[in-house]
Amino acid sequence: MSQLYKEAGVNLEAGYESVARIKKHVASTMRLGAMDIFGDFGGSFDLSELNYQKPVLVSGTDGVGTKLKLAFDMDIHDTIGIDAVAMCVNDILTQGAEPLFFLDYIACGKNDPAQIEAIVKGVAEGSKLSGAALLGGETAEMPGFYQDGEYDIAGFAVGVVEKDARVNKANVKVGDQIIGLPSSGVHSNGFSLVRHIIKEQNLDLHTQYEGFDKPLGEVLLTPTEIYVAPVLNLLQSVKVNAMAHITGGGFYENVPRMLPEGMGAKFKASTWTPPAIFPFLQAKAGISDKEMFTVFNMGIGYMIVVNPDDVAATLALLPNASLIGEITETGQIEIQ
């Protein structure tokens, strides 16, 4: 290896070890269409292997934001990769797309093979949960840019849907009903506010507070729920008019993205119970309900809009879901 490069802070041998460690995790995600060419300069997927007549590709990219800071503080790195996958595949799912493959990008100050393996293990787990193949990625060692032990991760997902079956918000009508799927917690948005609350209220990530069964840091690192399997199953039986992934901006920013111009939505907050982390944070910081719904998912990670006649069938196929609201003509987002 290059001794000068090592003196500059880049350890090529650690990079080779990382690749050897993650190979088994990547291999565990292979699916129909994925071409096994690990280590090439690009990942390949054979779309002709799938039974699509008019395939439309849907893509999305995202990261996990400052939730990473909590992973560093807790020294827990095997769930953050699930978040990276979830943030991408849940987005493309809103058009009814079946995830096909995922690629990740990890940048670090120092290549720690064990840490890289833990991260990619999570990416592989998220890929398997979504049915996507992990076709490849990049690990960039950038000494002097990131502190040792710290890193950033981002991802990119591609899915496919039949052109005529693509979920299109143009089908939404006043009176349509909104079904909510529960979140697993804060997911991967709002962590700048979470970290601010932790600092201002002198909260300890390693303390198990009343109402929780594990330390606060572990509660906050609960990975983002992946909704692919139940939603794709639902789409086989029920006509879905629109869907939304509730991410940064909470209800007020994300719900309008699934609505035609001029329409609104009215929600009854009493129809679901948010995970305990939300009332905990709200009480500690004295945050208003409006602010909470502006920043966080508040226990609803994904929304599905259906015709009133399809509510019963939808809830039967999604036993953890709830009827939480309806489409209105007000043009406003109302939460009662």
Side-chain angles (χ1 to χ4, degrees):
M1 66 168 291
S2 169
Q3 183 61 33
L4 287 177
Y5 209 11
K6 186 174 184 179
E7 291 175 2
V10 177
N11 188 339
L12 293 176
E13 289 182 342
Y16 303 149
E17 181 182 344
S18 294
V19 171
R21 282 172 172 259
I22 68 176
K23 188 173 183 178
K24 62 180 179 292
H25 300 298
V26 174
S28 72
T29 72
M30 291 300 101
R31 54 153 292 162
L32 182 66
M35 302 180 72
D36 186 12
I37 51 174
F38 181 80
D40 279 17
F41 289 96
S44 297
F45 193 95
D46 185 358
L47 195 58
S48 70
E49 291 282 341
L50 307 184
N51 188 30
Y52 283 87
Q53 304 305 309
K54 296 180 179 179
V56 172
L57 297 179
V58 184
S59 61
T61 185
D62 210 338
V64 297
T66 61
K67 187 175 187 177
L68 287 168
K69 286 288 188 180
L70 300 187
F72 305 153
D73 291 341
M74 296 296 293
D75 194 24
I76 296 175
H77 308 285
D78 59 354
T79 59
I80 211 74
I82 299 176
D83 289 296
V85 176
M87 295 302 292
C88 297
V89 298
N90 286 342
D91 275 358
I92 66 174
L93 180 64
T94 62
Q95 295 187 40
E98 169 197 2
L100 298 178
F101 58 85
F102 186 83
L103 290 90
D104 63 1
Y105 172 82
I106 302 169
C108 57
K110 180 180 180 181
N111 192 320
D112 177 343
Q115 184 186 69
I116 296 298
E117 181 183 7
I119 299 166
V120 176
K121 178 183 177 183
V123 174
E125 178 64 22
S127 297
K128 287 185 286 187
L129 287 171
S130 67
L134 177 54
L135 286 189
E138 166 71 3
T139 301
E141 190 172 7
M142 302 166 63
F145 197 88
Y146 295 94
Q147 296 183 33
D148 287 356
E150 296 194 355
Y151 55 87
D152 195 10
I153 180 172
F156 173 83
V158 172
V160 64
V161 61
E162 285 284 7
K163 185 175 182 178
D164 296 336
R166 179 174 166 270
V167 177
N168 186 341
K169 66 182 180 181
N171 294 319
V172 174
K173 308 174 298 301
V174 172
D176 281 355
Q177 302 294 289
I178 305 172
I179 307 296
L181 277 70
S183 69
S184 57
V186 182
H187 283 183
S188 297
N189 299 101
F191 275 90
S192 293
L193 178 55
V194 169
R195 291 170 49 243
H196 177 75
I197 295 171
I198 290 170
K199 180 179 179 180
E200 292 298 310
Q201 303 302 318
N202 295 313
L203 301 176
D204 181 9
L205 293 175
H206 299 277
T207 295
Q208 180 177 318
Y209 291 93
E210 184 177 355
F212 301 110
D213 59 1
K214 52 189 173 183
L216 177 61
E218 293 184 29
V219 173
L220 289 167
L221 285 175
T222 301
T224 305
E225 191 74 22
I226 291 177
Y227 299 100
V228 173
V231 171
L232 288 182
N233 181 59
L234 175 72
L235 291 171
Q236 299 298 313
S237 304
V238 173
K239 175 69 169 66
V240 171
N241 295 334
M243 296 188 283
H245 182 201
I246 309 305
T247 55
F251 278 47
Y252 290 102
E253 182 174 327
N254 291 290
V255 173
R257 298 170 67 181
M258 70 174 182
L259 302 177
E261 189 71 26
M263 289 190 189
K266 180 169 61 177
F267 297 93
K268 290 185 178 180
S270 61
T271 55
W272 76 91
T273 302
I277 189 61
F278 294 112
F280 174 83
L281 293 171
Q282 184 173 14
K284 289 293 183 183
I287 305 173
S288 69
D289 288 347
K290 177 71 177 291
E291 182 75 6
M292 291 294 290
F293 278 97
T294 299
V295 177
F296 300 114
N297 67 61
M298 292 303 290
I300 299 294
Y302 200 86
M303 295 183 189
I304 299 170
V305 178
V306 297
N307 298 323
D309 291 345
D310 289 325
V311 169
T314 300
L315 293 176
L317 289 167
L318 301 172
N320 293 324
S322 304
L323 175 60
I324 63 172
E326 67 178 9
I327 305 302
T328 68
E329 59 185 6
T330 66
Q332 304 296 316
I333 305 303
E334 305 168 76
I335 303 171
Q336 301 174 343

